[in-house]
Amino acid sequence: MSRRILSLPLQYAGLLILQIMLALALINYVSEVVENDHQALSNTARIFTQTSAAIEALRADYVKVGWELDQATQGMVPGMRLDLQPLSQQLRQIRSSLMGNPELENLRNRQPEAVYELNERLNRLGYLLIEQTGRLGSTDARLTQQIRDQLLAEYRQIMVDGFGRLVASANDEILQLAEITHQAGQTNLHLLKAILFGFVVLQVLLIMFALWLFNHQIGSLAKIAERLSKGDRRVNLPQQSRNDHIGKLARAIHHFRSSLDSLSASREQLKATLRKHDEVARERAKAELALQMAESAFKNIDEAIVISDTNGKVLRANHSMAKLVDRTDEQVLSTDPLDLILTGQHNLKSQIRQHLIQSGRWRGEIEFTTAGGREVIALLSAHYVRTPSKKGEHIIYIINDLTETRKTERKLIQLAKHDRVSGLLNRDAFYHRGYSYINRHPDQALGLLILGLDGFKSLNEVLGHQQGDQILRHVANRIKAIAPNNAILARLGGDEFAIAVAGKHAEAIKLELEALAQNLLEQLLQTAWIDNYSIKLHCSGGVAAYPID
């Protein structure tokens, strides 16, 4: 009695339906995970947008208050009355928005310190406006200016510290929400990986079962074919109700044709494999050529390049590095790169390593002395290369020698600011120093002494320009010898010299410069020898002091 089983198409259809159901279940779960992550990200973005908009609105209102305060107090003169009550009312409205705006509710609950600190500062500024309303305009000009400066300083401090901390707190809150979302996403990702692994395992089991079932039925057909070849006519074909020779022949023909189809598929698969192998070989050749070019560039580039692991062990270094630090290639490979270029600078090395760990890169100019005693100025660029598995992480150091460039720059700056003959500041540099000091210290005094050599033109023509330059250097040396250490010295041009001295009291500086001028006149009256010529110099000048003259 033959045993009836499902036909192969029905068996495969059942396995396919099972696989489709599993795939649909997996797709549904992935969709839910993605939707939840999307919803979490949307909520985070919405909170960030609402909080940022609310803070920007508060800042805009506060900037408007600051502008109105500046405009209201800018033209104050003694005797003028000024009412700052409206500005105090605007500050109360800003405080009300800060404490009552629903869009800032999350920030008030999670970062209350920054919110309440800003509220307290705004409240203090409002009381300060009310307190100073009566004093503004009723005092002298100096006190009025002091009150105005105090109000504006408190306003700016709140803008920088209060709103700055509020923005920083909002950013911290968003970062915390983003981190929570990220952690949830990571958890879902791990769970999804586990489900995918289980799905793959289940698929493998289903395929193995299908292969076993197929092999079992093919084995039955092979046995039947073998028995048929021996003339056994009593055998029955699985999945076939007929038990005659026609049914047996149909199964044998079907089996033969299936074998041919399988052979044809195998041949196409072999062709595809060979094509893929050729593509891989071409890509490998391109990669090898790229590596050769990179190696050539690494060896021949002028910049020093060192690659080390995270513990400072050198993995690769080009010869330019050895030339830069006056070491051999073996010494470079056996020494931490930072120890080669930052000997004794332990704090800087620690800062660079800490910055690399935190941000992944560091760039800046450094100065060091090589093993050969050379002073080097270089641009150091360091990059921390990370990997997901933490294995193979390394640091790339690129060092560009800027020594000659910086020397040239310093020489050009020296020539641009100093007189070539006397070595003192030139006219432009002297004027720049003076104007800069007055702009930085408008309440300080600045004294000026101008000296001119009498008859220098005649001496220059009689003795010659070379001796004339020596006379100018002689006068410059005398000025340097007796001038105060904080004085600004310059040769304005020709035989004209200038001395500037800063201080608190203009009258005292003026007296000091007059005494200095008298001392200088006496010094210059002493006999000077210029190339065997005995010379006594006479000069004239004048003294003035800012702000009294």
Side-chain angles (χ1 to χ4, degrees):
M1 179 177 181
S2 63
R3 184 178 57 184
R4 298 181 60 85
I5 60 175
L6 293 176
S7 63
L8 283 178
L10 292 178
Q11 296 175 15
Y12 292 148
L15 291 175
L16 181 61
I17 292 173
L18 179 60
Q19 290 180 338
I20 292 174
M21 293 176 62
L22 292 174
L24 290 176
L26 180 62
I27 292 172
N28 183 59
Y29 175 78
V30 172
S31 300
E32 291 181 358
V33 170
V34 172
E35 179 64 24
N36 292 336
D37 289 345
H38 179 267
Q39 186 66 31
L41 289 174
S42 299
N43 291 336
T44 302
R46 179 180 54 79
I47 293 174
F48 174 76
T49 303
Q50 293 177 351
T51 304
S52 299
I55 293 176
E56 285 301 318
L58 292 178
R59 289 179 64 180
D61 293 339
Y62 187 72
V63 169
K64 181 180 178 182
V65 172
W67 182 84
E68 293 179 359
L69 175 61
D70 181 71
Q71 294 296 315
T73 59
Q74 188 172 19
M76 284 296 301
V77 297
M80 180 185 295
R81 302 297 296 175
L82 181 64
D83 184 13
L84 300 179
Q85 292 287 345
L87 297 181
S88 178
Q89 181 64 29
Q90 293 182 32
L91 288 177
R92 283 196 294 271
Q93 294 176 359
I94 293 175
R95 290 175 54 215
S96 298
S97 298
L98 176 64
M99 301 306 295
N101 192 337
E103 295 178 351
L104 297 176
E105 182 66 22
N106 188 64
L107 188 60
R108 287 194 296 269
N109 293 335
R110 300 178 66 89
Q111 301 288 341
E113 296 85 1
V115 176
Y116 288 114
E117 178 184 352
L118 179 58
N119 180 60
E120 181 62 27
R121 287 195 168 195
L122 292 173
N123 185 37
R124 185 166 61 248
L125 179 59
Y127 280 116
L128 185 60
L129 289 173
I130 297 173
E131 178 183 349
Q132 300 299 344
T133 297
R135 300 180 63 189
L136 278 171
S138 63
T139 58
D140 56 33
R142 183 181 61 81
L143 185 55
T144 299
Q145 183 63 33
Q146 290 180 354
I147 295 174
R148 180 177 182 269
D149 292 344
Q150 179 186 4
L151 291 174
L152 292 177
E154 182 67 17
Y155 163 76
R156 297 188 188 99
Q157 191 69 24
I158 293 175
M159 177 60 74
V160 174
D161 293 342
F163 279 96
R165 184 179 179 187
L166 186 64
V167 172
S169 299
N171 291 337
D172 292 341
E173 176 63 18
I174 293 303
L175 289 176
Q176 292 177 6
L177 291 175
E179 181 63 22
I180 293 173
T181 303
H182 174 71
Q183 292 177 357
Q186 289 296 318
T187 301
N188 290 333
L189 179 60
H190 293 320
L191 182 58
L192 181 59
K193 288 181 179 179
I195 294 176
L196 285 174
F197 178 78
F199 178 78
V200 170
V201 171
L202 185 57
Q203 292 295 310
V204 171
L205 292 176
L206 288 174
I207 292 173
M208 292 177 64
F209 174 75
L211 291 175
W212 174 85
L213 186 61
F214 179 77
N215 183 67
H216 175 72
Q217 298 185 29
I218 292 299
S220 299
L221 289 175
K223 292 180 180 179
I224 292 173
E226 182 179 4
R227 293 175 64 181
L228 286 174
S229 64
K230 294 179 180 180
D232 188 2
R233 300 177 181 178
R234 295 173 297 175
V235 296
N236 295 324
L237 287 173
Q239 305 174 340
Q240 178 65 39
S241 59
R242 294 180 63 176
N243 194 21
D244 55 353
H245 292 85
I246 295 176
K248 297 176 183 179
L249 180 60
R251 298 296 182 273
I253 294 173
H254 176 75
H255 174 70
F256 180 73
R257 189 175 64 179
S258 298
S259 299
L260 290 178
D261 293 339
S262 178
L263 180 60
S264 177
S266 298
R267 184 177 60 183
E268 294 299 325
Q269 185 177 5
L270 179 59
K271 290 181 179 179
T273 303
L274 292 175
R275 287 194 297 268
K276 185 175 181 181
H277 181 269
D278 293 339
E279 293 177 358
V280 170
R282 287 193 294 269
E283 293 297 329
R284 181 178 299 172
K286 292 180 181 179
E288 290 176 353
L289 179 60
L291 286 175
Q292 291 175 0
M293 292 188 293
E295 180 68 17
S296 177
F298 181 81
K299 290 180 178 179
N300 297 294
I301 194 170
D302 292 334
E303 285 78 4
I305 301 177
V306 183
I307 303 174
S308 73
D309 62 14
T310 56
N311 297 320
K313 181 181 179 181
V314 177
L315 305 176
R316 290 290 305 278
N318 61 358
H319 187 63
S320 297
M321 181 62 182
K323 290 172 59 178
L324 178 65
V325 297
D326 294 337
R327 300 288 186 97
T328 64
D329 292 333
E330 291 74 15
Q331 289 174 332
V332 170
L333 291 174
S334 62
T335 309
D336 188 315
L338 294 181
D339 290 338
L340 286 173
I341 59 177
L342 298 176
T343 303
Q345 304 182 48
H346 302 293
N347 291 335
L348 181 56
K349 287 192 288 187
S350 300
Q351 292 174 6
I352 293 175
R353 289 194 174 99
Q354 185 67 22
H355 200 273
L356 283 173
I357 293 173
Q358 292 176 351
S359 63
R361 60 180 61 232
W362 187 91
R363 179 182 176 90
E365 283 195 15
I366 59 173
E367 297 183 14
F368 62 92
T369 303
T370 68
R374 291 188 302 112
E375 298 292 335
V376 176
I377 302 174
L379 176 63
L380 171 61
S381 299
H383 303 269
Y384 193 114
V385 180
R386 305 180 188 275
T387 59
S389 63
K390 302 295 183 181
K391 294 181 179 180
E393 293 188 341
H394 56 277
I395 303 173
I396 302 175
Y397 300 93
I398 302 176
I399 308 169
N400 190 3
D401 190 356
L402 303 178
T403 305
E404 295 303 322
T405 302
R406 293 295 179 259
K407 287 182 179 178
T408 302
E409 289 177 354
R410 290 171 183 172
K411 289 179 181 179
L412 291 175
I413 293 173
Q414 178 72 15
L415 291 174
K417 293 186 177 181
H418 290 77
D419 176 51
R420 180 183 60 82
V421 176
S422 64
L424 303 179
L425 293 177
N426 58 27
R427 180 190 298 269
D428 292 337
F430 180 74
Y431 286 169
H432 179 72
R433 285 271 194 94
Y435 288 139
S436 297
Y437 180 82
I438 292 175
N439 291 332
R440 291 196 310 269
H441 309 283
D443 56 340
Q444 298 288 320
L446 182 67
L448 178 64
L449 168 61
I450 303 294
L451 291 175
L453 300 180
D454 298 336
F456 174 74
K457 183 177 181 181
S458 300
L459 287 173
N460 198 32
E461 293 175 352
V462 172
L463 299 179
H465 293 291
Q466 184 175 1
Q467 286 73 20
D469 290 346
Q470 293 185 27
I471 292 173
L472 293 175
R473 283 192 286 270
H474 169 73
V475 174
N477 291 333
R478 291 295 177 91
I479 293 175
K480 292 177 183 177
I482 67 174
N485 294 332
N486 63 339
I488 305 174
L489 311 178
R491 179 189 172 209
L492 302 181
D495 59 355
E496 196 173 42
F497 294 85
I499 303 174
V501 178
K504 294 184 178 180
H505 305 290
E507 295 82 358
I509 294 176
K510 194 170 184 180
L511 292 175
E512 180 183 354
L513 287 177
E514 290 174 353
L516 178 63
Q518 184 62 35
N519 187 12
L520 184 58
L521 291 174
E522 294 175 357
Q523 292 284 334
L524 294 178
L525 284 174
Q526 297 179 9
T527 302
W529 292 91
I530 306 297
D531 284 350
N532 297 324
Y533 292 101
S534 176
I535 298 176
K536 288 186 178 181
L537 299 174
H538 298 271
C539 61
S540 58
V543 176
Y546 168 84
I548 62 175
D549 294 327

